[in-house]
Amino acid sequence: MKKRIVPEEPKVLFEEAKRYLANAKETLAKTRIEYDRYQDKKYVKEASAVAYLACLSAIDDYLLSIGTEKKKLPTSIEEYTKSLRKIPHNGKLISALDTVYENLHILGYYRGGVDVEMIKSGFQKAKFIIDTLSKGVKIR
C-alpha cells in the first residue's frame, strides 16, 4: 500500500480541500448539460473523484487539528464515518458524507452517472463538510 503524505500544518489541508473543490467545479464546467444530464462522462468522473477527495482531505485536517496522529488517520470510508461519529451533533456531517460517497464516489466516479441534480447534490454536501469542519464544527 502506498504511504500517504500529510502536510505538517493541518490548516494546509483545509486550503487544499477548498482548492480541490474549486478544481472539481472547473472540470465539471467543461461539459455541457443537455436534458438535465452532463454530456461528457470523462469530466464528470474526474470532477466527482476530486470533489470526494476534497471532502476526505477536510476530514483529515479536522482530525489532525484535534490531535489525531497522522498514522491513525482513516483509510476507508467506514473509518471516516466512524471518525465523524465522535463529533458532537454529527448527524448532518455523517449524512453529508454518505451523500458525497454515494453520489460522487460510487455513482459519479465509478458508475459514470451524469445526472445533474445527483452530482450537484454531492458537490453541495462536500462544500458543507469542508466549510463546517474548517470552522471548527458547530452544527445544530
Side-chain angles (χ1 to χ4, degrees):
M1 176 182 252
K2 187 177 178 182
K3 186 173 179 171
R4 183 167 36 172
I5 299 170
V6 181
E8 291 297 321
E9 174 60 37
K11 291 299 170 198
V12 171
L13 282 175
F14 278 128
E15 293 309 314
E16 188 171 278
K18 291 174 183 177
R19 186 172 60 92
Y20 279 10
L21 192 59
N23 289 347
K25 288 178 183 179
E26 289 172 13
T27 300
L28 197 56
K30 293 178 182 179
T31 182
R32 63 185 172 79
I33 297 171
E34 190 174 306
Y35 307 115
D36 296 322
R37 296 173 64 78
Y38 291 105
Q39 296 302 301
D40 192 330
K41 283 184 184 182
K42 175 189 177 282
Y43 292 123
V44 176
K45 287 180 138 207
E46 284 179 26
S48 295
V50 172
Y52 173 68
L53 292 174
C55 198
L56 299 185
S57 180
I59 296 169
D60 285 346
D61 179 22
Y62 177 76
L63 295 172
L64 289 170
S65 74
I66 61 168
T68 303
E69 295 177 38
K70 291 178 193 177
K71 64 184 175 188
K72 292 188 178 182
L73 289 173
T75 58
S76 69
I77 189 63
E78 294 80 13
E79 290 178 16
Y80 276 99
T81 301
K82 190 184 293 184
S83 294
L84 291 181
R85 289 192 195 291
K86 297 175 185 174
I87 299 171
H89 310 293
N90 60 27
K92 288 182 183 180
L93 282 172
I94 292 170
S95 178
L97 181 60
D98 287 345
T99 299
V100 169
Y101 179 72
E102 293 164 1
N103 290 15
L104 298 181
H105 187 61
I106 300 297
L107 298 173
Y109 177 67
Y110 278 113
R111 309 267 191 220
V114 293
D115 180 75
V116 170
E117 291 305 314
M118 174 190 71
I119 299 299
K120 281 186 178 180
S121 173
F123 269 73
Q124 289 168 348
K125 298 300 183 184
K127 183 178 183 332
F128 168 75
I129 291 169
I130 293 166
D131 289 347
T132 300
L133 293 178
S134 69
K135 292 176 186 167
V137 187
K138 290 180 183 167
I139 308 171
R140 293 267 183 239

